[in-house]
Amino acid sequence: MVLPSLDEESQITEFGTDQPEHKMKPINAAILMTVLGVVYGDIGTSPIYAFRATMGVVSNHHADLQRWEIFGIISLIFWALVLIVTVKYVMLVMRADHNGEGGILALMSLAQRVTKNTTGKVALGMVGIAGTCLFFGDGMITPAVSVLSAIEGLEVSLPSVQEFIVPMALIILFGLFCMQSKGTERIGKIFGPVMFLWFSTIGILGLLQVIQHPFVLVALSPYYAVSFVIHHEWMAFLALGSVVLAVTGAEALYADMGHFGRKPIGYAWVFFVLPALTLNYLGQGALVLTNPHALSNPFFYLAPHWFNIPLVILSTFATVIASQAGISGGFSLAKQLTQLGYFPRLRILHTNAHEEGQIYVPDVNHALMIGALLLIVSFRSSEALAAAYGIAVTGTFICTTTLSCVVFHKLYKWPAYKVAIIFGIFFCIDIPFFTANALKIPEGGWVPLLLGICLTIMMTSWNKGRNIIIKKRAQDAMPIASFLARLPQGKITRVSGTAIFMTPDPMSIPNSLIHNLRHNKVLHDHVLFVTIENLKQPEAEYGHRIAMRQLAPNIYQIIVRYGFMEMPNLPKVLELLKSQPQLDFFDPLQASYFTTREQIVPASIPKMSKWRMAIFMFMNRNASPVTDFLRIPADRVVELAVRVSI
């Protein structure tokens, strides 16, 4: 956003003392341990259910499993981990960072930035929103399937507890969601060590089986994966719907890149997580080959009988960590969508006075909790829930691949043939995975699809409604130049103090000022017009947080910039104005903040369809006040209502 020109003497000052975060994190044991706890919880708990679910698909077609078939399943899982996680995400997609940040919204922003035509920008925006909505579905299903699969391990040692599995999972998840308002700082400190213990344990359990049955190592050859697909065709296609469960959580590597950097995440994967997962899947395969009875729950049968209960406890901790990462990711994603204009302002609570990223969003937490609990009650087993899980994951994969094609071609100048070959291979992997899971829509795949469609409708309705209001506001607004020209002629009483008038459009006078003059007929000695500019990039550039200029004596125009991954704190940022000689008197906590509360009513000729209008008005009524979102003290706010017809 550029400040409008009033005259040649207008001088714009840009500044900001925010130090840019160093995205290249140092690689040491502490950072690698933290990466394990935050990034790899979801994909790290996949061995609990992924191999069992895939074997279940094959055994349902014929009970007499052959050795080469089990080798084929192990090979499919291993090469899915290598191609999707290692090659696609670690080696390629994670190179597409937006000022060091990752995630599908950052990728969408990059793709839109290098696309010239409006239609292309809109299409890419819809791809990004679709991927985001599916990611929300993933975040709702992850806690349910992860915790449920861990508790099911009790059946191995205590078959009589089967009827208590669902109630136990409900209690654990309810407690987890209730803890969110307390913040994750304390429990976060143990995430890394617990996940280190988890990966070490599952790797060792698998290694013990591999040592006893080394012949299973031949399953790492792609020959067995290809042979399985060629010989079984349709059944192999169905099996892909469960194989993809082994790579759930791959998107987290990219989404969390801004917190840790590309190299620590990549090193942790290549040198620790991937070997541990591979050993465990090999161990499960070797166990099933030698003990067909273990097919009912091969992960927990890997452990000696005396270690089963401790493994269930460790699994529960690991799945809670995986769930926590999904919940926290949902909070961050909701905040980012608000900044980008696709979601109304939500009530955001900060659970740590020193860490901006540690937030709690009550509405999102309640929605995820209700959804996760309903999923457990409805599906009652991790095997049944797996049908709902895969389609959310594979849909996000396709959206990421699509956006990556644009970024690598237009931003990184890859030739079209190179993009077509490399990402064409990933489309050939992602689309069969998605199609195989689409067959499960009647069995539960409809859950993330329905959620994604509903969220997409809500986001597009909100975005369209806000754009209509912005256009109407621009039509009815009084230009700043006109107001300043009339100001010396008007008989306006000036009162002591500083008034901050919030305005979404820096080119016009805010309605709150016009209403204040109309009713109170006074103007403060010092007046600041403040506009919040939400950037379509993760963070504001260093030194460009604030743009300021003087419009008239003691009247200033201020623009404050925030990226979509930043948390607004207007009083804190306005403290920077004290560094300017003409505003050294300014105290943002003593100023009066004037805002406008818009009452939306349908126009005589509505600009939106009735159903979209109903959705938009419902979301607008439930939006958090802008003053809460900007963390303005409530006792310094003067709110003036204005009716807007659309």
Side-chain angles (χ1 to χ4, degrees), residues 182-233:
K182 308 298 182 184
T184 59
E185 181 180 16
R186 292 180 180 176
I187 192 171
K189 292 179 179 178
I190 66 170
F191 278 8
V194 169
M195 292 309 297
F196 177 80
L197 178 61
W198 167 258
F199 284 115
S200 300
T201 301
I202 66 173
I204 292 171
L205 290 175
L207 179 61
L208 293 175
Q209 288 293 326
V210 172
I211 291 173
Q212 295 178 47
H213 313 288
F215 58 83
V216 77
L217 289 170
V218 300
L220 298 180
S221 169
Y223 165 80
Y224 288 97
V226 174
S227 178
F228 183 85
V229 171
I230 292 175
H231 282 83
H232 283 302
E233 296 179 347

Side-chain angles (χ1 to χ4, degrees), residues 535-609:
L535 306 174
K536 292 187 179 299
Q537 61 188 54
E539 298 174 349
E541 295 178 9
Y542 174 57
H544 297 277
R545 173 71 68 194
I546 294 180
M548 183 196 82
R549 69 170 174 176
Q550 186 171 359
L551 303 176
N554 295 330
I555 298 179
Y556 301 89
Q557 186 177 55
I558 312 293
I559 289 181
V560 179
R561 303 184 178 101
Y562 285 106
F564 60 77
M565 288 190 175
E566 296 181 292
M567 282 302 307
N569 187 334
L570 187 59
K572 181 178 178 180
V573 170
L574 292 181
E575 288 277 355
L576 302 175
L577 294 175
K578 292 182 179 181
S579 64
Q580 304 303 304
Q582 62 269 48
L583 288 172
D584 57 357
F585 64 89
F586 176 66
D587 184 353
L589 296 179
Q590 296 301 317
S592 298
Y593 294 79
F594 288 80
T595 65
T596 301
R597 178 168 53 87
E598 295 169 329
Q599 296 178 341
I600 311 298
V601 295
S604 55
I605 304 178
K607 297 179 176 60
M608 296 174 66
S609 58

